[in-house]
C-alpha cells in the first residue's frame, strides 16, 4: 500500500539496492498520431534515467528505430565533449536548462537499444511486442510486417494471429492482453507452446488504483499459460509534460475537439518513461518480473549495425567488382582523353581507385554505371549532380560531364574514410522518361530486391497550426491570422508576444498560449510516410529482410519504411534517380537539330567557351536558359559578365540563399569589378578562397574555413554541416557557433568575418551548393545557352515541348522567340501536331508551328488521331469529326483555339457549327441523307469578333496570343504611360508603367520586398515594391493581374528597375476587351509566384458575382 | 388579366442577418465550406470594396484584407430568416414564395392598387427594408423570369406588356441559364437577350437543347411558370361555447372530455404530440382564466391527459360562470405513430405521468436526473439534466469503483503520501483498516478548473475500522489529504 512517488529522483539507488530495469515497450511518435515523443527523446531520456535498455516498439512498424539508433550513436560520441566542456547543460528531453553539476549522464552505461515492433492483430485481443534476438529473427520480423503491409492499403498493416504463429521464429514475444479473459489466455498458451521459452506475459501498471490486484491476476495468468510475467511500462511519452500533446494527438486522430475528448484523454501522465527505482516500487511484490526485463534485454543481441549491406551480383558479370571498375574506368579515361591521359588525371584516378578498393564501394559505382549505361543506350539524357562531380571516376564512367580541368576535384567531399559513409550519387534523367529508368531497375533486380525509400512527412508550421487550432477550438479568424503571421518565414514555432498583439490576439489568454505551445511541440512530428522522389535501394538478398516494405500511394510502387537519413545512418547505398526538365529540353533540341540541320550533337560535343554564347548571357538574354533565367539571376548576369565556364559555375552558386544570407554577393562582385581590393584574411585561407577572390561561395569552402580557420577537424566540419540540416532535432547549433567564432578569433581573424562565415555556413545547411554541383548545373546552363544562341528556333520549340518546366510560361517563351526574329505560326488542324514543331520557310529559316499541346484541355490521344488521319488535309469540320473520330468536346477545344482558321472558318462560325454536332459518333442513317431528305438549317450571321475578344479567346485557350498584347489594346484608354521598351533610355525620374503581371516574387532573403515583372507589348519592366508601399497597396499587389505602377526609374548598367510608389489595379479594365472570360488574362504561373497572392486562379465562368460562385456553392437552384 | 410579379433579391442575406443582430463596422464575410476550404459566401459592402468577392477562399481573403472578420454560414438560421421575411411580405399580397435561398417572389396581381400603385408599393417596401438594414433589389414584370432578370441585372419596373422590350438589352445570363450555356452564348457573340431572340429557334434547340429555349419562353411569358407559396402551419386548438354558463369543475372536466379527443385527433393526423397545453376559460364577465399543463413527454392520448388536468381545473375561479372553453396545444413536438407490437416494450408511461404530476406542482424543471458524462474527473463524470427534457441514456461504466455519494473535498489533518493510520473527519475519530490505491487522476489541462488548482490527485479507497468506507485523495503537488466521497 504505497504511493506512486511524486518527485523525480535521479538516483538509481532505493532501499540500498541497485535496481536494473529495461523498458521493453515504448511507443514513439512513429506510431503516427499516438506516440507523443520523438525516438531521439526517448533514448536520451532513458539514458538520463539510467535504464539499462530501451526497446522502441512502434505499432506494426520499424520506422522509428533508426532514429533512436542514430540518437544513441550521437550520445555516445558526444558524451565526453558535453560533460567536459560545461557544467551547465540543457536537458535534451525537456529542453530546460538544468542547473548544478551533479547531473551526469550515466555515461559508462548508456542504455542498450532493442529493436522491435508491437504487433497489433486484426483478430486477437492480445498485442504482441516482438523483439528479435538476432539478425535472422529481425529478418523474420521485417518479413512479417511486410506481409501485413503489402496486403493492406498504404499506411496500414493487417496482421492476423496465424501470421504471428507462423513467422515469429527467434523473437521474444511479450503478450499484452487487453483483458485477462479466456480467449486471451488461450492465445497466449498456444503461442507459448509454439515458441517455448520465448513468450512472456507483459504486465503494465495502469495507475487506476487496482495495480497490485492486476499484477496478481497477471501472475496467475502467467502461471496458467506458462508465459512468465515481465514488467513493461507501455510508454507513450518520454516526459510527463507531453501528456497534453498526447491528448491533442488523440483528438486529431479521432477528429474531435479537446472539450469533447472525454475519457479518451489520458487520465494522468504516468505513461512516461520511469526510473528503475519507480518501477521497482511498483513491482515490489513481483521482483522477478522486473528481473526478467534484464534477462530479455540480454537475450536480444540484435543491433542495427549488423544490417550489413550487400551489393547485387548482376553488375559484376562474373568479374571481380574492383577489377571491373578498374577496367571500365581505364576505358572511360581513354574515351575522355583521346590525346592521352595526363599524369595529373592518372594520379587522381589511381588515388580514387585505391580508396574505393579500401572501402569496398566498387560495386556501387558499377551499379550506377549500369543504370547510366542503360539510359544512354535508350537515348535518355542523364547527368550526375551533387558531389559526384568531385570524382574523376564518375567522369570517366560518364556519370558526370565536368572534368578535372574545370573544377578542383575534392574527392574527400564525395567519399572519405573518416566518414565511413557510402558516397551519394544523384543522377538526373529527362523528366519525361525517368519512369523508363525506374521500370528498368525494377525489371532488372526484381521488386523484392529494389524499392524506393520513404520520405517522412512532418507536421509543418501551417499544418500544425491548423490541426492543433482545430482541436483547441480556435476560430477560423484566429487560425488564419496565426498562419498569416508566419507566412513565408519558417519560424520555429516561436511567435513573439508583440507580434500576437499586432494581429489582435491576446497573449494573456491561457487557451491561446497553450495552443501556441502545443503547436510548437507538434511541429516536426512525423505525420505519415510518403514516397521519396527517386532514392532507390537495391540489395543482393531480399529487400524485405532489410526493412519492412509497404505499398505506396502510386500504383505499382512500393516503398521501404525508412527515409534517406535512416539509410545514410545505416550505411546502406542508394542511388537517386531524379528527373530534370532541362535534360528533356536539351535532348529534344538535339533531336530537332538532327532532324532539320542534319547535325548530331551531344552534351560532350557542344563547342566549349563560345564567345557569342557568353556575350548573349552578358546581355541577360537568358529566358529559358537553365538556372540563370530567374529574375535575380538575370539582374546579376550583366554585373557578373561571365566570360568562361568557371564564371558560370560561380553565377549558379552565388545567387542562392546561402551566399546571400552570408552577405557574400556584394564583396564578390565588387572585387570582380575591381572596385574593391582583393585581400585574404590569411595566407592559409588564400589557398581555400583563391578562386573566388577571397569570398567563400561554395559549401566546400565554408567547410574548409571551419577546418583551416577555426581549427575544426575535417570530421567535425562535416558533422557541423550535417547537424545544420537537422539542428532542430538535437538543438546543438549554439555550441558550434561559439566554438567556430572562438576558433577563428584565436587564429587572429576578425570577429565580423567569423560571424559572417558562420551565418553563411548556416545558410548552406539547407540552401548551399557545393562547387561540384554548381559545375554540373553550370554545364547544363552553358549547353542550353549555346542552343539558344545558335539554334533559337530549335531551342524555343524544345522548351515548349518540355513544359511544364523552368521559370517562364509558354507565353514568355514565345514572346522571347519572336523578339529573336522567329516566325511563330498559329495552331492549325491541317499543319499542327501534338508537339510544337519547326517548319522550313521559303527563305530557308525555320518557323515554329504551335502544336495542340498548347491548347488547354486538349488530349494527346485526340491530337495524335488528327495527325494520323490527316492525309491530304481536312476540308471541313465534319471531315475531322468523321475521319479522326473526335468527340464534339475536343472539336470545341480546337475551335476555341482558332485552329480552323486554315479552312477559312473563324472561331465563332466554327463553334456554331460544332455546337450542332451532338453525338460522339456519326449516326448511320443521318450521315448519308437521301436526296431532299436532308435538313437545311437557316443561315445565321453571328457578330464578328473584335480584336479584343479574339485576344481574350487566345488567352483562354492557349494562355497567350499571337495577335496583339492586351495592353496594346487598352493603351488608348490609359494616358501618360511609358512603354517598357523606352525605360532603357529615357532620363531617370518618375515614370508610369502598366502591364500584365507575369511574375511576383517575395524572396525569403529580401526582407519583405516584392518583385513584380510587368509585361506590355514592348517588353517587360521590373518593379520593386518595398514593404511600406506593399502594405498600402496590398490588394493590388497581391491580387492584380493588370497593374499600373507609378514610381521612380532606376538604372544600373543595363538593369532597369521601377521603384513603386503607387500601385493601381487595372484588372477590371480587361473586361473592356469585351469578353466573358477576361479573367484568363494575366494569371501567373504558381511556380513563378512566390509572393502571397490568392492561391489558385479562380475557375470563374461568368462575370456576374452572383453567378461566379455557383460552381462552388451548388446549393442554389432555380424554380 | 395579366399577372404582375415582384422578384425580391437579398444579395447579402447571410451577412445582413448576422449584422442586424450584432452591428459592426469594417469588412465582414460569411464563410461556407466548399471544395475543401472555407470560402466566402457573402461579403458586406466594406469587404467588397476591399476587393473580396464570393467564392474566394478565406485565407486568400485574409491575405487581401487582414482586418476581415468572418462567421460561418448557418443555413437553418438563414432559412428561418427568409421564411420570416416571406411571412412579412404577405402584407403586400397573399401569394408569396421563396426563391432559392436568398429571394422572394410575390404575385401582386390585383393588390398593387391597395398601396397606391406599383410605384408606391415598392417605395413602401424599399423604405421598410431599408429600415430593417437589409440590402434588397427588386424587379417587377409580367412574368417570373422577367422579374428575376430585372431584380438581378437592372432593378426596376417593366410596365405591363413591355416585358420583351425591358429584357432586350439585358445579358443572356439574366435568363437563369446554366453558367456554361451563358459563357458559350457569349463566346458566340450572343450577349443580350435581344440578340438571342433574333436567332432562329430551330438552330438554338439543336445546339443548346430545350433548357435555353424554355428559360427564354418563361421570361417572355409564352411558357407558364407557377409560384407556389408555402403552406400555412396548422393550429392545434379546439373550443367549446356553452349556451348557459357553467361553474362546476366537474362540468369543466366533462367539457374537457369533449375537447381533448378532437385536439388529439388533430395532433395524430399531423403526427405530433403536445408538450404544453393551455386551457382558457372565458368567463361571462369577459375575464379569462387559464390553466397550463406541462407534460413530461409529448403526448396525444386523451385518456391520459384528462386526469392530469384535474388539479389545475380545481384552481379555476369560475366567478359568474364560464361560457367558453378553449384548449390550445401551445407547444408541440414530433411524435411518430408507433406500431402496436405483440410484446409491447416496457412502458415508462407511469414515470412520465408522475413527472408531469409532480412537475405541475413544483415546476417541471425542478425534477432532475443524473446522466453519465465522459470525463475522468469524478466531479464531471456525471451531469444533471431536467427529467422532462432528457431521456435516461448512456451506460454507467467506470473503470475504477466510484463512491455512491461525493461531496466537495473536506480536508483532514494528515501528512505524508501514505494514507493516514488514524484521522478525524466530521468530528469522528477514524482508524484505517484497509487502504486500496492509489488511482492517479490529473486535472483536465485544457480547463482552468478552480477545484483542481491543487494539481493531480491520488485517490484511495479507505475502509475504516469504524465501518465507514471513504474515498480520499492526496494531492502530491500541494500536499494535503481530503475526503471526497463515501461508499455505501
Amino acid at each position: 500500500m504505497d504511493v506512486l512517488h511524486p518527485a523525480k529522483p535521479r538516483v538509481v539507488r532505493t532501499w540500498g539496492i541497485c535496481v536494473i530495469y529495461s523498458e521493453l515497450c515504448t511507443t514513439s511518435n512513429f506510431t503516427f498520431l499516438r506516440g507523443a515523443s520523438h525516438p531521439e527523446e526517448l533514448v536520451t531520456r532513458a539514458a538520463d534515467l539510467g535504464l539499462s535498455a530501451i526497446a522502441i516498439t512502434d505499432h506494426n512498424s520499424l520506422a522509428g528505430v533508426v532514429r533512436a539508433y542514430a540518437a544513441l550513436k550521437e550520445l555516445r560520441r558526444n558524451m565526453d565533449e558535453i560533460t567536459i566542456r560545461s557544467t551547465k547543460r540543457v536537458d535534451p528531453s525537456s529542453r530546460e536548462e538544468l542547473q548544478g553539476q551533479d547531473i551526469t549522464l550515466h555515461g559508462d552505461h548508456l542504455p542498450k537499444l532493442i529493436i522491435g515492433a508491437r504487433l497489433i492483430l486484426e483478430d486477437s485481443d492480445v498485442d504482441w511486442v516482438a523483439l528479435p534476438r538476432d539478425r535472422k529473427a529481425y529478418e523474420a520480423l521485417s518479413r512479417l510486417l511486410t506481409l501485413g503491409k503489402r496486403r493492406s492499403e498504404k499506411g496500414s498493416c493487417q496482421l492476423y494471429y496465424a501470421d504471428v504463429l507462423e513467422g515469429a521464429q527467434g523473437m521474444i514475444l511479450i503478450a499484452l492482453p487487453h483483458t485477462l479473459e479466456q480467449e486471451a489466455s488461450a492465445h497466449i498458451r498456444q503461442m507459448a507452446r509454439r515458441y517455448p521459452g520465448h513468450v512472456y506475459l507483459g504486465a503494465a501498471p495502469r495507475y487506476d488504483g487496482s495495480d497490485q490486484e492486476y499484477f496478481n491476476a497477471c501472475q496467475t495468468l502467467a502461471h496458467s499459460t506458462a508465459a512468465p510475467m515481465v514488467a513493461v511500462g507501455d510508454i507513450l511519452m518520454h516526459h510527463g509534460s507531453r501528456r497534453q500533446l498526447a491528448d491533442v494527438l488523440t483528438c486529431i486522430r479521432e477528429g474531435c475537439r479537446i472539450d469533447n475528448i472525454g475519457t479518451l484523454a489520458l487520465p494522468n501522465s504516468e505513461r512516461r518513461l520511469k526510473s528503475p527505482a519507480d518501477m521497482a516500487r511498483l513491482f515490489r511484490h513481483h521482483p522477478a518480473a522486473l528481473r526478467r526485463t534484464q534477462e530479455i534485454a540480454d537475450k536480444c543481441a540484435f543491433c542495427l549495425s549488423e544490417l550489413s549491406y550487400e551489393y547485387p551480383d548482376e553488375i559484376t558479370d562474373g568479374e571481380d567488382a574492383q577489377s571491373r571498375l578498374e577496367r571500365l574506368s581505364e576505358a572511360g579515361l581513354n574515351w575522355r582523353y583521346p590525346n592521352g591521359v595526363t599524369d595529373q588525371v592518372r594520379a587522381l584516378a589511381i588515388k580514387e581507385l585505391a580508396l574505393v578498393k579500401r572501402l569496398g564501394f566498387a560495386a556501387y559505382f558499377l551499379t550506377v554505371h549500369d543504370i547510366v549505361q542503360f539510359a544512354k543506350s535508350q537515348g535518355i539524357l542523364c547527368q550526375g549532380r551533387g558531389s559526384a562531380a568531385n570524382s574523376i571516376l564518375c567522369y570517366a564512367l560518364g556519370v558526370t560531364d565536368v572534368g578535372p580541368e574545370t573544377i578542383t576535384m575534392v574527392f574527400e567531399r564525395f567519399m572519405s574514410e573518416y566518414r565511413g559513409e557510402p558516397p551519394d550519387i544523384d543522377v538526373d534523367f529527362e523528366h519525361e522518361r525517368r519512369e523508363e529508368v525506374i521500370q528498368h531497375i525494377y525489371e532488372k533486380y526484381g521488386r523484392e530486391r529494389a524499392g524506393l525509400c520513404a520520405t517522412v512527412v512532418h507536421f509543418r508550421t501551417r499544418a500544425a497550426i491548423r490541426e492543433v487550432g482545430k482541436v483547441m477550438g480556435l476560430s477560423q479568424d484566429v487560425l488564419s491570422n496565426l498562419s498569416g503571421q508566419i507566412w513565408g518565414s519558417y519560424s520555429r514555432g516561436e511567435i513573439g508576444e508583440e507580434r500576437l498583439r499586432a494581429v489582435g490576439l491576446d497573449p494573456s489568454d491561457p487557451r491561446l498560449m497553450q495552443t501556441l505551445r502545443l503547436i510548437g511541440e507538434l511541429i516536426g512530428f512525423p505525420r505519415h510516410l510518403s514516397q521519396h522522389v527517386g532514392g532507390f535501394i537495391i540489395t543482393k538478398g531480399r529487400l524485405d529482410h532489410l526493412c519492412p516494405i509497404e505499398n505506396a500511394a502510386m500504383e505499382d510502387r512500393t516503398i521501404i519504411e525508412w527515409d534517406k537519413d535512416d539509410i545514410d545512418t545505416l550505411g546502406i547505398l542508394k542511388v537517386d534517380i531524379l528527373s530534370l526538365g532541362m535534360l528533356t529540353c536539351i535532348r529534344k533540341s538535339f533531336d530537332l537539330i538532327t532532324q532539320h540541320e542534319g547535325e548530331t550533337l551531344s552534351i560532350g560535343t557542344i563547342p566549349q567557351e563560345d564567345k557569342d554564347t557568353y556575350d548573349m548571357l552578358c546581355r541577360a538574354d537568358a529566358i529559358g536558359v537553365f538556372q540563370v533565367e530567374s529574375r535575380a539571376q538575370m539582374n546579376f548576369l550583366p554585373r557578373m559578365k561571365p566570360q568562361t565556364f568557371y564564371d558560370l559555375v560561380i553565377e549558379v552558386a552565388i545567387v542562392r540563399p546561402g551566399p546571400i544570407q552570408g552577405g557574400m554577393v556584394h564583396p564578390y562582385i565588387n572585387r570582380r569589378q575591381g572596385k574593391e581590393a582583393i585581400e585574404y584574411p590569411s595566407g592559409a585561407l588564400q589557398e581555400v578562397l583563391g578562386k573566388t577572390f577571397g569570398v567563400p561561395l561554395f559549401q566546400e569552402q565554408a567547410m574548409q574555413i571551419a577546418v583551416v580557420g577555426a581549427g575544426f577537424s575535417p570530421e567535425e566540419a562535416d558533422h557541423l554541416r550535417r547537424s545544420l540540416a537537422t539542428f532542430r532535432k538535437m538543438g546543438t547549433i549554439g555550441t558550434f557557433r561559439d566554438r567556430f567564432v572562438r576558433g577563428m578569433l584565436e587564429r587572429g581573424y576578425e570577429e565580423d568575418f567569423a560571424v559572417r562565415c558562420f551565418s553563411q555556413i548556416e545558410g548552406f545547411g539547407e540552401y548551399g551548393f557545393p562547387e561540384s554541383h554548381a559545375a554540373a548545373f553550370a554545364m547544363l546552363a552553358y549547353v542550353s545557352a549555346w542552343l539558344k544562341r545558335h539554334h533559337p528556333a530549335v531551342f524555343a520549340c524544345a522548351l515548349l515541348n518540355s513544359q511544364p518546366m523552368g521559370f517562364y510560361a509558354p507565353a514568355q517563351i514565345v514572346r522571347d522567340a519572336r523578339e529573336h526574329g522567329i516566325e511563330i505560326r498559329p495552331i492549325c488542324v491541317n499543319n499542327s501536331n501534338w508537339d510544337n514543331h519547326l517548319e522550313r520557310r521559303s527563305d530557308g529559316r525555320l518557323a515554329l508551328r504551335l502544336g495542340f499541346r498548347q491548347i488547354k484541355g486538349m488530349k494527346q490521344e485526340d491530337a495524335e488521331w488528327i495527325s494520323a488521319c490527316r492525309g491530304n488535309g481536312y476540308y471541313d469540320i465534319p471531315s475531322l469529326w468523321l475521319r479522326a473520330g473526335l468527340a464534339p468536346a475536343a472539336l470545341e477545344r480546337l475551335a476555341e483555339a482558332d485552329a480552323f482558321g486554315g479552312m477559312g472558318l473563324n472561331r465563332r462560325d466554327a463553334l456554331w457549327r460544332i455546337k450542332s454536332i451532338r453525338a460522339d459518333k456519326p449516326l448511320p442513317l443521318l450521315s448519308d441523307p437521301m436526296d431532299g431528305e436532308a435538313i437545311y438549317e437557316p443561315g445565321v450571321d453571328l457578330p464578328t469578333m473584335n480584336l479584343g475578344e479574339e485576344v481574350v479567346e487566345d488567352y483562354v485557350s492557349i494562355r497567350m496570343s499571337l495577335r496583339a498584347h492586351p495592353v496594346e489594346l487598352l493603351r488608348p484608354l490609359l494616358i501618360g504611360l511609358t512603354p517598357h521598351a523606352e525605360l532603357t533610355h529615357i532620363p531617370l525620374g518618375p515614370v508610369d508603367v502598366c502591364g500584365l503581371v507575369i511574375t511576383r516574387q517575395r524572396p525569403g532573403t529580401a526582407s519583405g520586398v516584392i518583385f513584380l515583372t510587368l509585361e506590355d507589348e514592348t517588353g517587360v519592366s521590373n518593379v520593386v515594391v518595398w514593404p511600406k508601399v506593399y502594405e498600402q497597396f496590398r490588394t493590388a499587389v497581391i491580387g492584380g493581374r493588370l497593374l499600373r505602377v507609378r514610381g521612380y526609374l532606376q538604372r544600373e548598367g543595363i538593369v532597369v528597375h521601377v521603384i513603386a510608389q503607387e500601385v493601381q489595379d487595372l484588372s477590371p479594365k480587361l473586361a473592356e476587351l469585351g469578353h466573358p472570360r477576361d479573367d484568363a488574362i494575366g494569371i501567373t504561373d504558381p511556380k513563378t509566384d512566390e509572393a502571397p497572392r490568392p492561391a489558385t486562379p479562380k475557375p470563374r465562368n461568368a462575370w456576374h458575382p452572383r453567378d461566379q460562385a455557383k460552381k462552388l456553392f451548388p446549393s442554389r437552384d432555380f424554380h | 388579366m395579366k399577372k404582375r410579379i415582384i422578384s425580391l433579391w437579398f444579395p447579402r442575406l447571410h451577412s445582413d442577418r448576422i449584422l442586424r443582430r450584432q452591428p459592426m463596422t469594417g469588412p465582414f464575410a460569411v464563410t461556407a465550406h466548399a471544395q475543401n476550404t472555407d470560402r466566402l459566401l457573402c461579403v458586406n459592402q466594406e469587404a467588397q470594396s476591399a476587393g473580396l468577392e464570393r467564392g474566394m477562399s478565406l485565407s486568400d481573403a485574409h491575405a487581401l484584407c487582414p482586418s476581415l472578420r468572418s462567421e460561418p454560414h448557418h443555413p437553418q438560421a438563414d432559412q428561418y430568416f427568409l421564411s420570416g421575411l416571406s411571412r412579412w411580405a404577405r402584407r403586400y399580397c397573399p401569394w408569396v414564395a421563396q426563391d432559392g435561398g436568398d429571394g422572394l417572389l410575390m404575385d401582386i396581381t390585383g393588390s398593387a392598387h391597395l398601396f397606391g400603385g406599383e410605384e408606391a408599393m415598392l417605395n413602401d417596401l424599399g423604405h421598410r427594408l431599408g429600415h430593417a438594414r437589409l440590402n434588397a433589389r427588386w424587379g417587377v414584370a409580367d412574368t417570373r423570369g422577367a422579374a428575376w432578370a430585372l431584380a438581378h441585372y437592372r432593378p426596376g419596373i417593366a410596365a405591363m406588356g413591355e416585358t420583351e422590350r425591358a429584357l432586350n438589352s439585358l445579358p443572356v445570363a439574366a435568363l437563369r441559364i446554366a453558367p456554361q450555356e451563358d459563357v458559350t452564348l457569349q463566346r458566340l457573340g450572343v450577349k443580350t437577350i435581344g440578340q438571342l431572340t433574333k436567332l432562329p429557334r430551330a438552330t438554338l434547340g439543336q445546339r443548346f437543347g430545350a433548357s435555353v429555349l424554355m428559360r427564354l419562353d418563361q421570361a417572355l411569358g409564352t411558357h407558364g411558370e407557377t409560384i407556389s407559396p408555402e403552406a400555412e402551419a396548422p393550429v392545434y386548438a379546439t373550443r367549446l361555447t356553452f349556451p348557459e354558463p357553467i361553474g362546476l369543475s366537474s362540468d369543466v372536466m366533462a367539457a374537457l372530455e369533449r375537447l381533448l379527443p378532437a385536439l388529439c385527433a388533430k395532433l395524430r393526423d399531423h403526427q405530433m404530440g403536445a408538450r404544453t397545453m393551455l386551457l382558457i376559460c372565458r368567463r361571462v364577465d369577459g375575464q379569462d382564466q387559464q390553466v397550463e399543463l406541462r407534460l413530461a413527454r409529448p403526448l396525444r392520448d386523451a385518456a391520459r391527459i384528462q386526469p392530469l388536468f384535474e388539479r389545475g381545473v380545481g384552481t379555476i375561479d369560475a366567478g359568474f360562470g364560464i361560457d367558453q372553453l378553449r384548449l390550445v396545444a401551445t407547444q408541440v413536438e414530433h411524435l411518430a405513430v408507433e406500431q402496436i407490437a405483440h410484446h409491447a416494450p416496457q412502458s415508462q408511461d407511469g414515470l412520465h405521468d408522475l413527472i408531469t404530476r409532480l412537475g405541475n406542482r413544483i415546476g417541471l424543471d425542478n425534477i432532475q436526473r443524473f446522466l453519465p458524462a465522459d470525463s475522468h474527473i469524478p466531479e464531471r463524470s456525471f451531469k444533471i439534466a431536467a427529467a422532462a427534457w432528457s431521456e435516461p441514456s448512456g451506460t454507467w461504466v467506470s473503470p475504477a469503483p466510484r463512491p455512491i455519494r461525493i461531496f466537495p473535498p473536506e480536508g483532514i489533518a494528515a501528512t505524508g503520501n501514505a494514507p493516514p493510520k488514524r484521522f478525524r473527519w466530521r468530528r469522528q475519530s477514524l482508524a484505517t483498516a484497509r487502504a486500496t490505491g492509489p488511482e492517479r487522476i490529473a486535472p483536465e489541462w485544457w480547463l482552468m478548473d478552480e477545484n483542481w488548482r491543487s494539481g493531480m490527485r491520488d485517490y484511495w479507497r479507505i475502509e475504516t475500522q469504524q465501518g465507514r468506507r471513504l474515498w480520499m485523495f492526496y494531492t502530491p503537488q500541494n500536499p494535503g489529504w481530503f475526503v471526497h466521497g463515501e461508499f455505501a
Side-chain angles (χ1 to χ4, degrees), chain A residues 100-118:
Chain A
Q101 55 277 52
D102 53 355
I103 306 158
T104 45
L105 280 183
H106 306 278
D108 41 337
H109 55 268
L110 277 174
K112 170 181 166 181
L113 178 68
I114 304 173
I115 305 300
R118 178 175 182 155

Side-chain angles (χ1 to χ4, degrees), chain A residues 729-749:
Chain A
K729 274 189 224 147
M730 301 304 275
T732 46
I733 190 89
T735 55
F736 273 118
R737 173 189 282 273
D738 296 348
R739 173 113 196 266
F740 183 90
V741 174
R742 207 170 52 234
M744 289 200 81
L745 290 180
E746 276 165 17
R747 283 165 185 75
Y749 297 99

Side-chain angles (χ1 to χ4, degrees), chain B residues 35 210 366 369 487:
Chain B
Q35 293 179 356
N366 290 330
R369 72 166 110 227
F487 292 89

Side-chain angles (χ1 to χ4, degrees), chain A residues 21-95:
Chain A
Y21 176 64
S22 304
E23 182 53 64
L24 297 178
C25 177
T26 60
T27 303
S28 81
N29 59 7
F30 276 81
T31 305
F32 304 121
L33 297 184
R34 214 174 273 270
S37 292
H38 292 278
E40 291 95 338
E41 290 171 328
L42 287 168
V43 167
T44 334
R45 180 76 182 157
D48 232 11
L49 292 170
L51 297 185
S52 74
I54 179 168
I56 302 287
T57 54
D58 281 312
H59 295 190
N60 291 341
S61 166
L62 290 171
V65 295
V66 187
R67 307 266 168 137
Y69 171 75
L72 202 59
K73 225 163 78 173
E74 189 75 1
L75 272 179
R76 196 164 287 139
R77 235 178 51 83
N78 283 347
M79 190 68 60
D80 316 323
E81 219 173 296
I82 290 176
T83 41
I84 290 169
R85 204 172 41 230
S86 72
T87 50
K88 231 186 208 177
R89 206 169 55 76
V90 170
D91 175 8
S93 51
S94 64
R95 303 266 163 79

